[in-house]
Amino acid sequence: MITNRINKFLAAGLMSCAIGAALTSCADWDDHYDGADVAAGSDQTLWQQMLANPQLSDFREVLEQTKVFRMHKKTAVSYADLLSGGQAFTVVAPVNGTFNKDSLLRLVETNQGDSAVEAFFVKNHLSRTVSSLSQESKKMLMLNSKFVEMENHAIEGVSVSQANTHASNGVLHVVSNPLPYEYSLFESLCERPGLQLIGNALRQYNEDWFDGDASVSIGIVEGVPVYVDSVVHERNRILDYLGYLGSEDSTYWAVVPTEAGWRKAWQEAEQYFIYDAKVLKRDSLQHRGTTCALLEDAIFNMTDQKSTDDSLVSVHYNRVKPQFHVFYKPFAQGGILANATPIKCSNGMLYQTDEWAFRPEQTYFKPLWSEAEQEALITTFKTCAYKPQEAHGDSISEGRYLDIMPTDAAANWEMTFRVNNTLSGTYDICAIVLPKSVANQVNPDVKTNKFKATINYVDENGNAKTFDCGGKQFQNNPLKVDTIVLAEAFHFPTCNYGQNDIKASVRIQCSITARETSRYSREMLLDCIYLRPHTEKSEEQ
């Protein structure tokens, strides 16, 4: 019988994602099928050596019927043809009766099934590296990009009954069973029972990418390059952002929930990525935003970790903002891996949980800062001059602030600051105002500021809306760094995540009357506009 892992795959109807992940890219064609040095010792080809062994008739029949795919198209070339030629291979051949030949032959009758047999069975037993078995332990790269361990009298733990049969175009090893096929993390998400919803979300981003540099061109005809051999890579656009979970030469950990937990987390997260009706492809943007929200902190590159018992940093950890994308004591009670089931994959570990292991405010629903001193965030200003300044202090965001000064001593100024990457969620919208002692510690002005605020946003139809913060007049405490809540529990009906258009902003308006000039200060030291996620927990605090 074929190994349980591959037999389950071949019996299932959910093959498309794993096929795409396991197929060797067309760019590898030259690497696999160009000439290579082979061990001398026989004038017979690999195929002739296999014909001489009656115990390999089942394997030979599968090789004869399985066609080579190139650029996702079935060619007329079979793997029997390849092993009869001058191209060099190592063949690991399982003996008769150890796999379900009839099931494989039925699958190769269709293009989809043929590519699955090629990727999961045939390529799992062929290598372009000519490797002899010896006492020395070493790894061999198979045609499906999987690595297998060769040591003593076994390959990937399977005993070798006949080793190092040399041919004119490679070397043959006969094994007692098929080599086990171990899913990569990407394949596991696509194929493991209970995880296919995640795989379905990810494989929507599979695409072919034409590599002009690697392709063979005959020149330019009427201004257009013409290629006689086009090289096309298969890639997944979202894994370029999340992590290369299908790569066999990387090591990752991933923590994901089963179907019920994923569906529950998805339904919650997608409400934060509602784009207005004027945004092109808003449904696609919502899908991508939701997918990234649930996975961008669930994937860990193991080369970035210092001590996994102490903490894990996700692939998006940034030392500039060390408070994000880090999860302490992951295996302790309450940690993200505390109740997870570990599953070994070919390129790392998959940790499976019943529920999504995070809370929105730990991952995608984060605070937002519009630093006042970043002049690119200033969209409008009236009757004022401004100057970015530096200041030292733990409570001053980014160590800088904006000094806003009226151009007329009796004039009320106003400034508008854009806020980027807002989600369709509920925030406490704040302004952080600094005391004048930040600029003058000897003789600071201790007058308070007095101002109004307006929130600008768009509704579901993309129409501009404003909220005047209830018409309130705000005053800061001039003796401290003061976080002033302009609008508590303000809900943005639409998100502006990843968009360049200015659809969310905050306008600050000095509101001092002429008779109040002696009591209040029109000069303001503004640190930033700060959007704090409003949750039930923050309400309790």
Side-chain angles (χ1 to χ4, degrees):
M1 293 295 291
I2 196 168
T3 58
N4 289 338
R5 191 181 300 272
I6 301 177
N7 189 44
K8 181 180 290 185
F9 168 78
L10 294 175
L14 301 172
M15 295 184 291
S16 57
C17 177
I19 291 169
L23 280 174
T24 306
S25 71
C26 298
D28 293 333
W29 177 274
D30 290 357
D31 294 336
H32 289 325
Y33 302 125
D34 279 349
D37 295 331
V38 297
S42 173
D43 292 333
Q44 291 186 316
T45 65
L46 284 164
W47 188 250
Q48 290 170 327
Q49 295 278 18
M50 294 172 66
L51 284 172
N53 189 335
Q55 282 296 301
L56 300 182
S57 60
D58 287 355
F59 189 56
R60 291 199 309 266
E61 190 170 353
V62 173
L63 294 176
E64 287 175 320
Q65 297 302 316
T66 305
K67 304 298 184 182
V68 174
F69 273 71
R70 189 182 184 196
M71 292 187 293
H72 309 291
K73 294 180 180 179
K74 183 187 289 190
T75 70
V77 180
S78 73
Y79 278 88
D81 296 329
L82 288 181
L83 298 179
S84 299
Q87 301 159 359
F89 297 92
T90 295
V91 178
V92 182
V95 297
N96 292 350
T98 60
F99 59 92
N100 192 330
K101 177 193 71 172
D102 293 336
S103 294
L104 295 175
L105 292 178
R106 282 194 297 270
L107 278 169
V108 299
E109 293 176 358
T110 66
N111 282 356
Q112 186 183 52
D114 200 344
S115 64
V117 173
E118 181 192 43
F120 284 84
F121 185 73
V122 173
K123 285 186 173 182
N124 203 48
H125 292 87
L126 302 182
S127 174
R128 196 63 182 83
T129 303
V130 179
S131 300
S132 297
L133 199 66
S134 64
Q135 295 297 318
E136 181 184 353
S137 176
K138 58 185 176 182
K139 288 186 178 294
M140 178 169 60
L141 177 65
M142 311 308 286
L143 288 191
N144 60 6
S145 298
K146 301 286 183 180
F147 288 94
V148 297
E149 189 79 28
M150 302 180 73
E151 56 182 345
N152 297 326
H153 303 289
I155 299 175
E156 200 63 12
V158 178
S159 62
V160 178
S161 58
Q162 180 182 329
N164 302 335
T165 300
H166 289 247
S168 61
N169 60 340
V171 62
L172 170 69
H173 306 292
V174 179
V175 289
S176 59
N177 283 289
L179 298 185
Y181 186 94
E182 191 168 54
Y183 286 151
S184 68
L185 282 162
F186 184 53
E187 292 166 338
S188 293
L189 294 177
C190 291
E191 296 302 325
R192 289 192 65 84
L195 298 179
Q196 287 97 339
L197 285 179
I198 304 175
N200 291 343
L202 291 175
R203 65 184 175 185
Q204 292 188 31
Y205 301 94
N206 285 348
E207 67 176 11
D208 291 334
W209 169 62
F210 172 70
D211 187 346
D213 292 336
S215 300
V216 180
S217 172
I218 61 172
I220 297 177
V221 178
E222 295 181 354
V224 179
V226 177
Y227 297 90
V228 294
D229 186 9
S230 300
V231 174
V232 178
H233 302 273
E234 184 174 272
R235 67 181 181 186
N236 184 287
R237 287 179 287 114
I238 207 165
L239 291 187
D240 290 345
Y241 171 75
L242 293 173
Y244 301 109
L245 300 184
S247 173
E248 297 292 344
D249 56 1
S250 302
T251 304
Y252 289 92
W253 284 5
V255 52
V256 294
T258 50
E259 185 171 311
W262 177 261
R263 184 179 288 109
K264 177 183 175 183
W266 182 277
Q267 290 171 350
E268 180 179 19
E270 68 177 347
Q271 298 305 309
Y272 288 87
F273 295 90
I274 298 173
Y275 289 83
D276 69 77
K278 294 182 180 179
V279 176
L280 296 176
K281 299 182 179 180
R282 59 176 181 157
D283 291 341
S284 297
L285 290 172
Q286 183 182 31
H287 185 278
R288 180 183 174 87
T290 305
T291 303
C292 291
L294 297 182
L295 291 177
E296 67 181 7
D297 276 321
I299 298 170
F300 309 91
N301 187 332
M302 298 317 293
T303 62
D304 297 334
Q305 313 306 319
K306 293 183 179 180
S307 172
T308 56
D309 287 334
D310 178 65
S311 64
L312 284 172
V313 296
S314 77
V315 290
H316 291 287
Y317 177 77
N318 188 329
R319 290 183 177 86
V320 175
K321 292 187 179 294
Q323 70 271 37
F324 298 130
H325 310 295
V326 57
F327 303 92
Y328 294 99
K329 302 295 181 184
F331 294 100
Q333 187 64 33
I336 60 172
L337 303 181
N339 301 310
T341 301
I343 300 167
K344 186 177 182 299
C345 298
S346 62
N347 60 344
M349 293 291 293
L350 178 70
Y351 288 88
Q352 184 174 300
T353 59
D354 292 330
E355 299 281 342
W356 188 55
F358 309 90
R359 300 187 309 276
E361 58 270 23
Q362 284 181 295
T363 55
Y364 58 87
F365 192 35
K366 293 186 176 70
L368 300 175
W369 287 270
S370 283
E371 297 294 337
E373 71 276 1
Q374 292 185 11
E375 297 178 68
L377 298 179
I378 301 172
T379 62
T380 65
F381 64 96
K382 293 180 180 179
T383 61
C384 66
Y386 59 86
K387 184 178 181 181
Q389 301 282 11
E390 293 187 2
H392 300 287
D394 293 338
S395 11
I396 300 174
S397 175
E398 303 289 341
R400 302 181 74 208
Y401 65 92
L402 190 70
D403 187 355
I404 306 171
M405 299 156 287
T407 52
D408 184 327
N412 285 330
W413 54 265
E414 68 175 54
M415 295 193 77
T416 305
F417 301 86
R418 69 179 293 171
V419 182
N420 296 324
N421 294 317
T422 52
L423 301 185
S424 48
T426 303
Y427 296 89
D428 295 333
I429 300 178
C430 311
I432 299 181
V433 182
L434 304 180
K436 300 296 194 310
S437 57
V438 167
N440 185 348
Q441 296 182 5
V442 177
N443 187 27
D445 179 3
V446 293
K447 294 178 183 178
T448 189
N449 295 120
K450 183 168 173 280
F451 59 95
K452 297 187 295 185
T454 303
I455 315 299
N456 305 304
Y457 64 101
V458 298
D459 63 14
E460 294 88 341
N461 296 317
N463 298 321
K465 299 290 183 180
T466 60
F467 174 63
D468 67 357
C469 298
K472 294 180 182 177
Q473 299 276 352
F474 301 99
Q475 297 183 30
N476 70 308
N477 184 333
L479 302 179
K480 69 172 188 177
V481 176
D482 199 2
T483 299
I484 301 168
V485 179
L486 307 177
E488 185 176 4
F490 180 84
H491 182 76
F492 286 102
T494 60
C495 83
N496 199 37
Y497 181 76
Q499 300 293 290
N500 292 322
D501 293 347
I502 303 173
K503 294 189 176 180
S505 60
V506 177
R507 184 167 68 249
I508 303 294
Q509 301 164 283
C510 182
S511 59
I512 302 171
T513 64
R515 69 180 63 181
E516 294 175 325
T517 298
S518 61
R519 294 173 50 197
Y520 298 103
S521 172
R522 284 187 169 85
E523 180 183 10
M524 177 184 286
L525 308 187
L526 183 62
D527 189 1
C528 63
I529 302 297
Y530 169 49
L531 273 61
R532 180 174 62 202
H534 186 92
T535 63
E536 292 181 2
K537 183 177 180 180
S538 65
E539 284 180 339
E540 293 171 359
Q541 294 175 342

